[in-house]
Amino acid sequence: MISDVTSVAALWGAVILSGFYHGINPGMGWPLAVSAALMERRHAAMPWVLAMLATGHFLAMVGILLPLSLMLFLVDWEVQIRVGAGLLVIVMGVYLLVNRRHPKILARVHPARLALWSFLAAMAHGAGLMLVPIYLGICAIGDEETGHLAARTLMGSNIMTAFGVAAIHTLAMTFAGGLIAITIYIWLGLKFLSKTWFNLDLVWAISLIVVGVFGIHSARFSH
């Protein structure tokens, strides 16, 4: 029992930490909040941009997790689903390692459509996929009991968990990105941002591969 509680806490902690990680990454949009506030010369522009970015990111997370939550009522195939998901995350990481170009579709989105831009950015960078092994691990906790529940009950529980993971992850991402944006806006300014830009694309791709390997390992050895 204590082991299960520890595992649950660790996985939810990973949801929060991955949110911080996404929030720190400039590719998820916090520089847009800084530039909007500086260009419009008003503080209110920043929370509005952050809210739009959070909305798009949340929808992207749900869009990835929800189909898996509908599949997980197939308890007999749980290990295969988790291994397949882990392989998918690894493939995405390898693709981003090989293809280092910034997705062109993001440059075609109108600047006012921030939620759409955030949704597409999260999808293009595999942000939702990074959550999949963590989410599947949470759903697997206590499957000795859930395996005997009705499929509808289990599916409903997994759907609520998917929304919960997406919401908590997005809150953590918005907090981290917002904190950086506020710090730069109030104290450092756009000139500092242009001189100190950091790129996490390589680290991001490697992170996907590591998370995918973790997902496969936990699926194979947690039973």
Side-chain angles (χ1 to χ4, degrees), residues 30 34 38 46 50 175-190 192-193:
W30 62 257
V34 179
L38 289 172
M46 185 176 294
L50 290 173
F175 175 81
L179 191 62
I180 294 175
I182 290 170
T183 300
I184 292 177
Y185 173 69
I186 294 177
W187 289 292
L188 302 175
L190 197 59
F192 172 86
L193 180 61

Side-chain angles (χ1 to χ4, degrees), residues 36-51:
L38 289 172
M39 289 174 64
E40 297 184 24
R41 298 181 182 277
R42 60 189 184 95
H43 303 304
M46 185 176 294
W48 180 82
V49 171
L50 290 173

Side-chain angles (χ1 to χ4, degrees), residues 17-18 28 30 39 44 58 78-79 86 88 92 110 124 142 153 156 159 162 167 173 175 193 206:
L17 288 174
S18 65
M28 292 296 102
W30 62 257
M39 289 174 64
F58 174 77
E78 181 198 344
V79 174
L88 182 61
M92 184 65 183
H110 192 278
T153 302
I159 290 174
M173 183 210 75
F175 175 81
L193 180 61
I206 295 173

